[in-house]
Amino acid sequence: MNRYLFRLAQTKIFWPLVALLVLLLLNFFLIPGFYSVEMKNGHLFGSLIDILNRVIPLLIISIGMTLVIAKGGIDISVGSVLAISGALAAYIMETSSVWVALIAAVGVGIVCGMWNGVLVSIFEIQPMVATLILLTVGRGIAQLITGGQILTIDDEIYKYIGSGFFMGLPFSIFIGGAILLIMFYMKKRTAMGLFLESIGNNITASKFAGIQPRKIIFLVYTISGVCAAIAGIIVSANVSSADANNAGLWMELDAILAVVIGGTSMRGGRYFLGGTVVGALFIQTLSTTIYSVGINPQIVMVVKAFVVIMVCLVQSEQFRSIFLQFNKKKVSV
């Protein structure tokens, strides 16, 4: 039994899962009725359902970010791409059908991802610098599309994507689940997963093995752009409006944190989609907890940063060994 627990503790997903369970247990004592789920008009409502619904945009972006980080890169433009896609969809729906708007929103995500992919893979610009360009100008583009105003959305089909229900659950949960399954399939059943980990571990060796890193890098940045665009559709559909200034603000940082908490190294190599799911759920549960217990909004980011640092330290094998050695010395004294 002890050997089994020891092996389980060595897995990447163990400590993020423990942190999430501890947070959920804390909510049991701090927030009355946190686990109560009720049925209203055939729809499920409750704090747990709310967390699952609100985490979907972050989860989708984090999945794309996981692929980018797996190759040793980063994409800090996803928040801006989210704002652009939502703004473009709302703008197009003023004169065209919702289907045209959806295609255009996903299309602009593809273009933005390809732009980042070209800069990183062809021109070999540092990923942080390459995506910083779109981070900077992206919200400006979104504001140009909306004319600096918040565009409201009246189309019922579009609203259904963000706030509709299917089989009693928010429809966005099914979108997030479908994207996650597709990515799992690509990782396990196609060569892309293996090539991506190979590039992340050693790009030079990958070239000698016959892999073409540029194509893989271009592909993962394009996927990241598509994920950000889909998240933008869900966010704008959920609030029935497109806010170029605030939509997806700081979401790129949450996505990076979700990936890191999930056990994927920033240095690239092996990546863990299951860990990213747990990381995203942890961040959303933490946000819900902070707001539910009434912490001052001005210090929310500080509390969030402190908790995330603690989780990352607990994940660190070096930190745990130092902590255990300190405890042994204390006991011996």
Side-chain angles (χ1 to χ4, degrees):
M1 185 66 180
N2 287 337
R3 184 180 296 177
Y4 176 75
L5 283 174
F6 178 77
R7 287 182 179 175
L8 188 64
Q10 302 307 309
T11 59
K12 289 286 185 182
I13 203 170
F14 178 77
W15 290 107
L17 206 54
V18 168
L20 178 62
L21 292 175
V22 168
L23 190 57
L24 289 171
L25 186 64
L26 192 65
N27 276 295
F28 176 77
F29 296 104
L30 291 178
I31 305 172
F34 180 80
Y35 288 96
S36 64
V37 176
E38 54 184 330
M39 180 77 79
K40 291 180 181 176
N41 300 323
H43 304 153
L44 291 171
F45 288 94
S47 297
L48 294 175
I49 304 297
D50 188 54
I51 289 172
L52 286 176
N53 187 23
R54 291 184 182 280
V55 78
I56 294 302
L58 173 61
L59 174 63
I60 294 173
I61 286 183
S62 300
I63 289 171
M65 187 71 76
T66 304
L67 303 184
V68 173
I69 289 178
K71 82 91 196 165
I74 198 166
D75 185 354
I76 58 173
S77 68
V78 287
S80 297
V81 176
L82 182 153
I84 294 172
S85 64
L88 186 62
Y91 176 76
I92 290 178
M93 272 186 287
E94 290 182 347
T95 54
S96 299
S97 72
V98 61
W99 306 111
V100 176
L102 289 173
I103 293 171
V106 175
V108 78
I110 294 173
V111 171
C112 290
M114 290 171 67
W115 165 261
N116 287 332
V118 167
L119 292 181
V120 176
S121 63
I122 307 297
F123 297 106
E124 299 185 353
I125 298 174
Q126 286 289 330
M128 178 72 80
V129 178
T131 55
L132 180 63
I133 297 169
L134 197 52
L135 167 73
T136 307
V137 303
R139 293 201 178 274
I141 295 171
Q143 286 190 0
L144 283 174
I145 294 170
T146 61
Q149 299 178 344
I150 298 176
L151 299 181
T152 56
I153 298 169
D154 298 321
D155 190 278
E156 293 300 325
I157 297 175
Y158 195 85
K159 287 181 182 178
Y160 184 82
I161 295 171
S163 56
F165 283 81
F166 180 68
M167 297 174 64
L169 292 171
F171 182 68
S172 60
I173 292 177
F174 294 92
I175 299 175
I179 292 172
L180 184 62
L181 287 176
I182 291 170
M183 292 304 166
F184 264 120
Y185 180 82
M186 290 178 69
K187 180 185 178 185
K188 299 292 185 183
R189 298 290 182 181
T190 70
M192 193 208 78
L194 183 62
F195 289 172
L196 185 55
E197 290 187 353
S198 174
I199 292 169
N201 278 317
N202 192 323
I203 191 168
T204 305
S206 302
K207 288 179 181 175
F208 283 114
I211 299 172
Q212 297 179 320
R214 286 183 176 177
K215 289 184 179 178
I216 301 297
I217 294 169
F218 180 80
L219 178 62
V220 295
Y221 274 99
T222 306
I223 292 173
S224 179
V226 173
C227 288
I230 294 172
I233 292 170
I234 293 174
V235 168
S236 57
N238 185 255
V239 297
S240 302
S241 64
D243 185 353
N245 282 324
N246 298 309
L249 195 63
W250 309 123
M251 192 172 278
E252 56 273 358
L253 301 183
D254 280 346
I256 294 168
L257 278 175
V259 176
V260 173
I261 289 173
T264 301
S265 171
M266 292 291 290
R267 291 188 292 270
R270 292 196 67 187
Y271 61 101
F272 306 94
L273 291 173
T276 299
V277 174
V278 176
L281 282 171
F282 175 81
I283 290 174
Q284 184 57 49
T285 307
L286 178 61
S287 300
T288 303
T289 305
I290 288 172
Y291 287 115
S292 297
V293 297
I295 292 176
N296 191 334
Q298 293 179 342
I299 62 169
V300 163
M301 296 299 286
V302 177
V303 176
K304 201 171 174 181
F306 177 76
V307 175
V308 170
I309 288 170
M310 291 306 298
V311 172
C312 291
L313 285 175
V314 170
Q315 275 185 275
S316 166
E317 196 171 334
Q318 286 80 1
F319 176 81
R320 291 201 304 273
S321 62
I322 292 170
F323 184 76
L324 288 173
Q325 286 176 2
F326 175 76
N327 273 351
K328 285 179 182 176
K329 288 179 182 177
K330 199 173 177 181
V331 170
S332 63
V333 169

